[in-house]
Amino acid sequence: MAGNPTLFQAFEWNVPADEHHWQRLRNILPQLKAIGIDNLWLPPACKGNNFKGNGYDIYDLYDLGEFHQKGSRNTKWGSKEDLIALAAEARALAIGLYFDAVLNHRCGGDATQRVKVVQVDDRGTELGPLAQYEAYDSRKLIYNGAKRNITKPYDIEAWLAFFFPGRQGKYSAFRYNWSHFNASDYDNATGKKAIFKIVADGKDWQKDVDKASHGNYDYLLLNNLDYSNGNLREEVKRWGQWVVQELGLSGFRLDAVKHFSQGFVNEWVNAVNAGSQKDLFYVGEHWTDNTKSLVRCPPTCWGKLPDLVLARRLYAYGTQTDYFESKNCIGWVRSGASEGSKQSGLAIVMSWQQKHPPSGKGVAAMDRIRQAFQKSNQAEPPSRDMKTSNATISQQPKPPSPRIRMRVGHEHAGQTWRDLLGWEWADVIIDSEGFGVFPCQPNSLAVFTATDAEGREKFPVNFSHNIYEKA
C-alpha cells in the first residue's frame, strides 16, 4: 500500500440526479491521483426503489444500472457501462474503489404477501417509519420502543415478494419472500404505516445487533432482512463475491452496520475475502449517541484541501512530536523518513482565537495583498489585518501572530522553511540545534517544509473543484 493512503468520499446527498456521476468521477480521476487520493468511496450503486434516489432504498443488489426496473435502466449515478469504465480507469491509475453496501433492508417489492405480524411500539420517535426514511440523515430518530408489542398477532399484506422481472434471473435466480424478513413498515390492505414485526414461524428480532441505550436496534426502516435465514445469508455472500469481481473492488463501506446481525457481518467478510485475490478494506457505519461532540471544520479548507492532501502524501512521515501546551495555538512535527520527499519532514501550526475563519472573499483579498507585497519587495510581509483599497495597502496596529518554537531536527540546521499553503508569509530559519519559531496567522493553519524540499514545485495545487463543469 502506498505511503499515507487517503480515502475520498466521491459523492454527497444532493448530487444531481442526472445519471452522469460515474462519468464525472472518471473525468476527475487524474486530478485526484495527482494530489494523493488512493481510494474512492462510491455511493450505493445498486438499483433503488426510486431510481433518482441515492440507493439506500435498495431494491436489487445485482442491478448496477443494467436492467430496466423501477422506471429506469440507469441509477441516479449512471449506467453500469459507465461504472465499469470508471472502475477500469481507476484500476489503471491504481485508485481503489470502496463500495457502499446496503445489506440491512430491501424496498419496493414486486408483489404483496400475507404474513402474520404484531405491531410494535414506535412512540419513542418523532417520525413514523416512512417519514423517517425521508429524513434518513437524522439517525437519532431510532425506534426506542421497538421491542414492545402493542397488538395481538394478525395478518397484513406486505410488499415482501421480490422476483426482479427486469433482470430475469441473470447473475442470480434467488427470489425474496416473507421468510427472508422479520419486519415491514406498511400494510397494503389497510394503507397503515407502522412497524410490523413478523411473528410467523416464531420469528423475532436478531439478538446480535447493537443495543446501546435504546434496547434492540434490529429494525431501522423499510423491509428488514432476517439473517437467521440460511438461504438469505448464502445469497448475500454470493453477491459480495460477485460485485468484487465485477468491479475489481478494493473494499466496502457497510451501511447501518449496527442494525443487522454482527455474526453475519463477520461471516460475510470472511466469505468475500475468501473469494478475492487481494486484501480488502472494510469499514462500518455506526452512529452512536455517546459521543460528546463533533468538531466541525470547513469542508474544503478555504480551497486548500487538495494542497493538504498532497502535503500529507509527500511529507508526513517519521516520528511525530506534539506541541499542545497552548489551547489557542498548537503544532506538531513529523521528523521525516529516509527516501525522496519523505526525508524532508513537516511542521504544522494551527491557531484559534474565538473568531470566524476567513471567507473565500477574505482569502482572495489576502492573495492580492501578498501579490502586492511581492511586487513591492518590502522588507517585512504584510499581515492579514491589513486593509486594501483599489490602490493602497495601509498598516493597522495588531498583536503579534501566534507562534510556537518546535524542533525539526539538527539535520535541518540552516534551512529555510516556508508555508506550503501561502497563508503565513514569514519564513522560518532553523537554528543550529534544529529548532525554529513557526508562526501562524490567527484562526488559521500553516504547513511548513524546507524551501528546497522535493515536490514543492507542485504547490499551489491546480485543482478543479467543480466536477459538474465536465458532465
Side-chain angles (χ1 to χ4, degrees):
M1 181 176 288
N4 291 337
T6 303
L7 168 65
F8 178 73
Q9 181 177 342
F11 69 104
E12 50 92 14
W13 198 261
N14 297 309
V15 168
D18 58 8
E19 304 178 8
H20 293 309
H21 194 62
W22 299 143
Q23 296 175 13
R24 284 191 288 266
L25 289 181
R26 184 184 178 193
N27 289 338
I28 205 172
L29 282 179
Q31 287 193 72
L32 295 174
K33 182 65 177 180
I35 65 169
I37 298 299
D38 303 288
N39 299 284
L40 299 186
W41 164 15
L42 299 181
C46 305
K47 184 69 62 66
N49 185 49
N50 175 8
F51 71 89
K52 293 185 177 180
N54 290 315
Y56 293 99
D57 58 339
I58 184 168
Y59 166 67
D60 186 357
L61 283 172
Y62 289 95
D63 187 353
L64 304 179
E66 182 178 1
F67 306 101
H68 199 282
Q69 300 185 118
K70 297 301 176 183
S72 174
R73 182 182 186 274
N74 296 349
T75 66
K76 168 181 178 175
W77 318 108
S79 68
K80 182 179 180 181
E81 291 82 358
D82 289 340
L83 178 56
I84 293 293
L86 168 65
E89 182 73 10
R91 189 160 51 250
L93 292 171
I95 295 177
L97 300 181
Y98 296 169
F99 195 99
D100 199 328
V102 183
L103 306 182
N104 175 74
H105 52 268
R106 294 289 181 272
C107 183
D110 298 305
T112 61
Q113 293 183 318
R114 293 189 66 81
V115 62
K116 193 169 295 296
V117 303
V118 293
Q119 186 178 336
V120 298
D121 187 5
D122 63 356
R123 290 180 298 173
T125 67
E126 300 174 43
L127 302 177
L130 295 183
Q132 183 191 5
Y133 180 71
E134 296 302 319
Y136 188 69
D137 59 335
S138 184
R139 292 299 183 85
K140 66 180 181 179
L141 304 176
I142 302 298
Y143 299 101
N144 301 352
K147 293 185 72 175
R148 189 170 74 88
N149 301 340
I150 59 175
T151 69
K152 293 181 179 180
Y154 68 102
D155 287 350
I156 67 169
E157 288 185 9
W159 292 89
L160 299 177
F162 291 73
F163 42 86
F164 315 113
R167 183 159 53 82
Q168 298 184 350
K170 186 175 181 180
Y171 304 126
S172 172
F174 190 85
R175 295 186 172 197
Y176 291 77
N177 58 56
W178 68 264
S179 71
H180 303 119
F181 302 90
N182 65 5
S184 188
D185 62 359
Y186 183 71
D187 178 8
N188 191 62
T190 64
K192 185 173 185 177
K193 302 173 183 178
I195 304 174
F196 301 103
K197 182 175 74 171
I198 298 173
V199 294
D201 287 356
K203 281 182 174 289
D204 201 349
W205 302 123
Q206 292 284 289
K207 300 300 187 292
D208 59 339
V209 296
D210 186 69
K211 294 177 175 58
S213 58
H214 299 295
N216 188 290
Y217 262 135
D218 188 13
Y219 188 81
L220 175 63
L221 74 171
L222 304 172
N223 299 315
N224 197 67
L225 289 168
D226 179 8
Y227 283 108
S228 68
N229 185 295
N231 291 331
L232 174 65
R233 290 199 307 272
E234 293 305 312
E235 168 65 7
V236 177
K237 287 189 288 187
R238 281 193 296 270
W239 171 80
Q241 295 174 341
W242 172 83
V243 75
V244 168
Q245 298 302 319
E246 197 79 358
L247 299 177
L249 298 176
S250 296
F252 290 90
R253 180 261 193 187
L254 300 179
D255 180 64
V257 74
K258 74 176 181 179
H259 294 285
F260 59 97
S261 166
Q262 300 305 295
F264 174 69
V265 171
N266 294 334
E267 187 179 327
W268 186 82
V269 167
N270 289 334
V272 175
N273 282 340
S276 175
Q277 299 299 314
K278 58 183 176 181
D279 294 332
L280 299 175
F281 175 90
Y282 299 88
V283 62
E285 178 209 22
H286 190 293
W287 289 70
T288 180
D289 59 0
N290 59 16
T291 299
K292 293 182 179 179
S293 63
L294 296 175
V295 179
R296 300 182 65 184
C297 59
T300 61
C301 303
W302 314 307
K304 291 294 186 179
L305 183 57
D307 299 73
L308 291 170
V309 173
L310 182 58
R312 178 178 181 271
R313 163 55 58 83
L314 293 176
Y315 306 119
Y317 299 93
T319 303
Q320 178 168 319
T321 304
D322 297 329
Y323 295 82
F324 292 170
E325 290 77 11
S326 170
K327 66 178 181 180
N328 293 324
C329 185
I330 64 172
W332 63 94
V333 170
R334 296 295 295 271
S335 62
S338 59
E339 55 180 287
S341 66
K342 297 180 181 180
Q343 63 187 333
S344 300
L346 194 69
I348 295 179
V349 184
M350 301 175 67
S351 76
W352 174 247
Q353 297 184 0
Q354 301 300 316
K355 296 180 181 178
H356 295 295
S359 66
K361 292 182 179 179
V363 172
M366 286 187 286
D367 286 342
R368 290 195 296 271
I369 296 171
R370 180 174 177 81
Q371 291 169 8
F373 161 69
Q374 290 171 336
K375 290 179 180 179
S376 66
N377 294 317
Q378 296 181 42
E380 296 293 333
S383 75
R384 286 189 181 203
D385 294 325
M386 287 188 173
K387 296 182 179 180
T388 61
S389 66
N390 290 335
T392 63
I393 300 176
S394 59
Q395 178 71 49
Q396 302 296 316
K398 69 178 183 66
S401 297
R403 58 197 62 227
I404 303 178
R405 186 172 184 263
M406 301 190 293
R407 188 176 189 274
V408 298
H410 62 84
E411 65 273 20
H412 298 293
Q415 290 182 348
T416 299
W417 284 42
R418 184 173 297 157
D419 177 24
L420 289 167
L421 304 181
W423 291 341
E424 173 53 58
W425 305 317
D427 288 344
V428 175
I429 307 299
I430 308 303
D431 68 21
S432 59
E433 296 181 353
F435 282 90
V437 179
F438 293 88
C440 178
Q441 295 294 320
N443 304 318
S444 187
L445 163 73
V447 180
F448 289 89
T449 192
T451 54
D452 60 353
E454 183 179 331
R456 278 205 69 120
E457 71 280 359
K458 298 179 180 179
F459 297 87
V461 175
N462 181 18
F463 188 86
S464 172
H465 295 78
N466 187 359
I467 65 175
Y468 302 108
E469 292 177 350
K470 298 181 179 180

